[in-house]
Amino acid sequence: MTLPATATFDLAFWITAGAIVALLVVSAFFSGSETALTAASRPSLRARADRGDRGARAALVVTEDSEQLIGALLLGNNVVNIFAASLATALMTRLFGDSGVALATLVMTTLVLIFSEVLPKTYAITLPEAVAARVARPVQILTRVLAPVVSMVRLIVRGILMLFGVRTDPSTQVFRIHEEIAGALSLGESEGTVAKEDRDRLLGALDLGNRTVEEVMRHRSQVEMIDADAGPDVILTVVLASPHTRLPLFKGERENVVGVLHAKDLLRAVEKVVRGEDGNFSSVRELDVMKIAMKPYFVPETTPLDEQMREFLKRRTHFALVVDEYGDLRGLVTLEDILEEIVGEITDEFDVAREAQLKRTETGDYLVDGTMTIRDLNRAMDWQLPDDEANTIAGLVIHEAQMIPTEGQVFSFHGFRFEVISRKENRIARMKIRPL
């Protein structure tokens, strides 16, 4: 293609060409800024800001309203690109006549794609936090200048979405730190950069606010309790034989808990009774257990675990009795039960040995104790069994079967085969599970 004889490269030509180059540079700035500010990790920016990086601090401010940020950058980028395309079309038309329109489209598409989109975005995605810190201040000024126009565009967009039944919540953050951390941990574990045990511990700590006391408590049928009306010598024998240091006291019926007896308090009281205040020895039968028992601490079964842990630390106690909405005793929960949600099973030399809750057979099946929680099984095996309707494996089978199964019955749901191995009264004691 040759230039027409009338084509001249005068001052106006060079000014127009220079303006197109400048607009492409501005477009590259908008594209790179959008990628950097949306891809940058807010925790990383916070760490840089804490070290005194003012650009990172500005990036944190500008990314708080992501909808406003993206709206301003897209508006500026589109205006610049359209203006550059218009100037290029006018320039090419002047040089080549009517055929300049097609040539301008081809040239501008190539230039915008390479220099205003791919190149700046590739650079920004390579160093998102560093680029975000550099561009944050000019972008912050831009968002303030374009705020009225962007607000009008947001209203129009929300109105159109409402016509289709879609409602947007302005207060909802685009980046949810909890999900971001959980996703990063799961991705790291799948890639081998994070150990499974570390992932489970960190996810357990993050998940405390989403779980309740009911899910980790020891059911009342498994709670060791002492009759307060029993003789002091009998109570002493029971306390010394128990692996637990704190035991609830009841009167009349097990639901009527009147105190909590601590083994150390009991032994101190026994020493005082035996030795006597003046050094004379007396009988243990004179001991009044209720005088040394602590007042019982009751908590609702719906209390979130993170809140209950804070209460334990605030009260400087490790033991609470769990009640339902009617005030009936459901079980007990300890600080150790909550910590086990983070670090896994905690045992010491006084814990009673019991059969493993999970054991693999030679055929590839898994023998599972019915009292094992679904959460523990999921963590151990990386399964995704639902725990919305039940806390234990036995509870899940009963919920899905809508009945109390008998020994030998087999069920298939959620991608697994469940076979009831043994049952004690109305409770599923042992079952065999196999992924389908």
Side-chain angles (χ1 to χ4, degrees), residues 16-154:
T16 304
I20 293 174
V21 173
L23 290 171
L24 288 175
V25 172
V26 176
S27 177
F29 170 79
F30 286 142
S31 297
S33 300
E34 178 191 354
T35 300
L37 290 169
T38 54
S41 168
R42 286 182 64 84
S44 298
L45 290 175
R46 171 61 65 187
R48 294 171 69 102
D50 292 340
R51 293 195 297 266
D53 191 331
R54 296 182 179 179
R57 190 176 295 113
L60 284 172
V61 173
V62 79
T63 54
E64 285 181 356
D65 189 348
S66 57
E67 189 178 357
Q68 179 81 15
L69 168 66
I70 294 175
L73 290 175
L74 289 179
L75 176 60
N77 202 13
N78 279 284
V79 170
V80 168
N81 285 339
I82 293 173
F83 191 24
S86 300
L87 290 179
T89 302
L91 188 64
M92 292 297 180
T93 303
R94 177 184 172 188
L95 294 176
F96 301 102
D98 294 339
S99 60
V101 177
L103 185 59
T105 302
L106 178 62
V107 171
M108 288 305 298
T109 299
T110 303
L111 292 177
V112 169
L113 179 64
I114 295 176
F115 297 103
S116 297
E117 293 293 336
V118 176
L119 179 61
K121 288 188 175 183
T122 302
Y123 175 70
I125 202 68
T126 304
L127 302 167
E129 287 79 23
V131 176
R134 292 185 194 134
V135 303
R137 291 180 182 175
V139 169
Q140 194 172 22
I141 297 173
L142 176 70
T143 54
R144 291 174 181 172
V145 172
L146 298 180
V149 180
V150 173
S151 298
M152 186 179 301
V153 172
R154 291 169 70 175

Side-chain angles (χ1 to χ4, degrees), residues 184-194:
L185 290 172
S186 297
L187 183 61
E189 191 272 334
S190 65
E191 294 177 348
T193 56
V194 177

